Amino acid sequence: MRTLISTAFISLDGVVEAPGGEPGYRNSGWTFKDIEFVPEAFEIKGREQQEATAMLLGRTSYEAFSPVWPDMEEFAHYRAMPKYVVSTTLTDQELVANWGRTTILRSLDEVAALKETEGGPIIVHGSATLNHGLSDAGLIDRYHLLVYPLLLGAGKRLFSTTDKDTQKLKLVEHEVYSNGLQKQVLDVVR
């Protein structure tokens, strides 16, 4: 079974909305405003590109990333990687042509089936709503979190608010950086 990894920039209070400056959120761009850049904190981002063999996105994140990431040198490894977008409304005609093979999945059952295929880790970027569904369905195996020392208040959150049994996580890698960022790699305990 393939490992499904959710990766996120996250505030201390759990917000993941608009970390890179996406419009429509009052704290948009919070990952680089008033936070000193410390290159070693982002080592995990390069490692994710090297280790992942596929990318999974929700429709909203796909629509935000697909016009930009294909031409960005820092995301070069993602160009050739197979991409999967979970959406009930997106059509093949709406997919960008310059970002490699992209397949639309219509349900979490299709994501579960993808996990059963041969291959390495599948990385999930952004996609707050998708993360809620994946977590509630027990499909996430690992979290890669860069936790920012910020309280953002309102905003889309990474974790579902569904009333469910306790989900235990095991911290398998961590580091604290000079700017206050924390790397937390957590495996989901089954």
Side-chain angles (χ1 to χ4, degrees), residues 37-106:
F37 179 74
V38 177
E40 58 270 21
F42 298 91
E43 172 275 335
I44 194 167
K45 294 298 166 192
R47 189 172 11 134
E48 288 170 352
Q49 285 189 66
Q50 297 297 322
E51 294 174 358
T53 59
M55 185 188 309
L56 181 68
L57 299 165
R59 180 192 50 80
T60 301
S61 292
Y62 176 80
E63 288 175 345
F65 299 156
S66 65
V68 181
W69 280 20
D71 297 324
M72 294 179 72
E73 197 53 42
E74 58 264 39
F75 298 120
H77 284 89
Y78 286 144
R79 283 187 201 125
M81 184 181 296
K83 283 157 278 304
Y84 299 88
V85 182
V86 181
S87 174
T88 59
T89 59
L90 193 68
T91 65
D92 286 331
Q93 292 73 30
E94 294 171 293
L95 298 175
V96 298
N98 64 335
W99 206 19
R101 186 180 59 146
T102 303
T103 304
I104 299 171
L105 305 178
R106 298 296 181 194

Side-chain angles (χ1 to χ4, degrees), residues 11-36:
S11 68
L12 192 58
D13 57 348
V15 174
V16 293
E17 186 169 353
E22 299 81 357
Y25 177 59
R26 66 184 232 114
N27 292 315
S28 185
W30 52 270
T31 59
F32 55 83
K33 292 180 181 174
D34 302 320
I35 301 285
E36 177 190 355

Side-chain angles (χ1 to χ4, degrees), residues 92-158:
D92 286 331
Q93 292 73 30
E94 294 171 293
L95 298 175
V96 298
N98 64 335
W99 206 19
R101 186 180 59 146
T102 303
T103 304
I104 299 171
L105 305 178
R106 298 296 181 194
S107 69
L108 293 179
D109 288 339
E110 290 186 37
V111 175
L114 174 64
K115 282 187 65 174
E116 295 292 333
T117 62
E118 292 293 319
I122 303 165
I123 194 92
V124 181
H125 283 280
S127 308
T129 302
L130 176 59
N131 265 281
H132 297 173
L134 293 169
S135 174
D136 289 348
L139 295 172
I140 297 176
D141 301 298
R142 174 174 274 196
Y143 290 95
H144 288 184
L145 305 177
L146 278 180
V147 182
Y148 282 71
L150 301 169
L151 299 175
L152 297 174
K156 293 179 185 175
R157 287 177 154 56
L158 180 64

